[in-house]
Amino acid sequence: MSNLIDQNTQLQKQLNVANKQYYDDLLVYVRLHSMNKNEQQTEEMLLSILQDILEAQQNGMSAQDYFGKEPQPIADDLIKQLPTDWRQMLRLTLLAFFSYLTVILIMDYLEAFFHQNTLQQLDVGKYLFCSLIAGGSVFFILWLTGRTYGEKAKWQHLLMIAVIFALNIVLFISIHTPFILNVSRWQVFLVAVFLIGINYFLSRDAG
């Protein structure tokens, strides 16, 4: 997978300014709309499109002339041809969940460390619930970004993202559950290391 992305990056350097802008728009749009698609095939498709644009460029034809004025219609058609990959979707969902869980656990660990507390209270219910909400928020923001990509009125979308972010913070601060564990700092440290390992495993190059 990384080889495809590296090859794509190198070939993009051969694009002229207009074609580079066109392909950048198409690239971002496709990646935002193909989270539930096979990643390997998505990158192969993007590389193939890039090679077509370069070939057209060598023949004196722009990307707009070759694919059409707007990249979105051709991108939509190509995305529909990609097979749905539920394993990819599950991997991204788990990655969002465990990433947030790892961050808040490390933050609590550091707070207890600097306060020199030997025991730390972990609100397990709070962590799990907030991680689920945060994971859902990430996917909603990505979906929203994909739906509104290229539109001029972006401040409304930025405001909505800011509101979602603020709500997640308020939720984490205010919510409490009875599912609390008293653990030592070393136990929290080991759990954090374990979660970091899970995140690394989930984020590894699938190719």
Side-chain angles (χ1 to χ4, degrees), residues 14 18 40 65 87 90 96 99 114 121 125 175:
Q14 301 178 28
Q40 175 80 18
D65 294 334
R87 289 178 58 188
L90 177 62
S99 295
F114 286 112
Q121 285 192 333
I175 192 172

Side-chain angles (χ1 to χ4, degrees), residues 35-98:
M35 289 186 297
N36 64 333
K37 303 295 184 179
N38 183 277
E39 191 175 4
Q40 175 80 18
Q41 294 186 29
T42 300
E43 292 302 326
E44 289 174 353
M45 180 193 73
L46 288 169
L47 182 60
S48 177
I49 293 172
L50 176 56
Q51 291 169 337
D52 288 342
I53 292 176
L54 285 171
E55 184 177 350
Q57 180 176 288
Q58 291 174 354
N59 294 325
M61 185 182 298
S62 69
Q64 284 191 353
D65 294 334
Y66 191 82
F67 283 113
K69 186 175 181 180
E70 297 294 334
Q72 181 175 338
I74 183 66
D76 286 335
D77 289 339
L78 292 170
I79 290 171
K80 290 177 183 177
Q81 299 175 24
L82 294 171
T84 300
D85 189 345
W86 294 109
R87 289 178 58 188
Q88 164 76 1
M89 197 65 182
L90 177 62
R91 183 176 70 87
L92 292 175
T93 302
L94 291 175
L95 182 59
F97 173 81
F98 282 111

Side-chain angles (χ1 to χ4, degrees), residues 15 31 33 38 57 83-84 112 121 132 138-139 175 179 183 198 205:
L15 294 170
R31 285 179 175 166
H33 286 77
N38 183 277
Q57 180 176 288
T84 300
Q121 285 192 333
L132 286 171
V138 169
F139 278 102
I175 192 172
F179 305 105
V183 294
I198 291 178
D205 190 343

Side-chain angles (χ1 to χ4, degrees), residues 11-41:
L11 287 177
Q12 286 183 52
K13 297 177 181 178
Q14 301 178 28
L15 294 170
N16 60 36
V17 176
N19 286 345
K20 181 70 164 61
Q21 182 62 54
Y22 187 96
Y23 184 73
D24 283 346
D25 290 342
L26 185 144
L27 181 75
V28 173
Y29 184 86
V30 168
R31 285 179 175 166
L32 285 173
H33 286 77
S34 59
M35 289 186 297
N36 64 333
K37 303 295 184 179
N38 183 277
E39 191 175 4
Q40 175 80 18
Q41 294 186 29

Side-chain angles (χ1 to χ4, degrees), residues 77-133:
D77 289 339
L78 292 170
I79 290 171
K80 290 177 183 177
Q81 299 175 24
L82 294 171
T84 300
D85 189 345
W86 294 109
R87 289 178 58 188
Q88 164 76 1
M89 197 65 182
L90 177 62
R91 183 176 70 87
L92 292 175
T93 302
L94 291 175
L95 182 59
F97 173 81
F98 282 111
S99 295
Y100 183 83
L101 186 60
T102 303
V103 169
I104 59 177
L105 185 65
I106 291 176
M107 289 173 60
D108 274 4
Y109 171 79
L110 292 175
E111 181 182 1
F113 181 82
F114 286 112
H115 284 83
Q116 297 183 345
N117 296 330
T118 56
L119 287 178
Q120 184 172 348
Q121 285 192 333
L122 293 184
D123 191 335
V124 178
K126 169 184 175 178
Y127 283 5
L128 295 178
F129 179 75
C130 289
S131 296
L132 286 171
I133 297 299

Side-chain angles (χ1 to χ4, degrees), residues 87 91 94-95 194-206:
R87 289 178 58 188
R91 183 176 70 87
L94 291 175
L95 182 59
F194 176 72
L195 289 174
I196 291 172
I198 291 178
N199 283 300
Y200 172 75
F201 175 78
L202 291 172
S203 61
R204 282 191 313 173
D205 190 343

Side-chain angles (χ1 to χ4, degrees), residues 148-159:
T148 59
Y149 182 76
E151 295 183 6
K152 294 182 179 180
K154 292 183 177 180
W155 69 267
Q156 297 98 327
H157 314 137
L158 293 175
L159 177 61

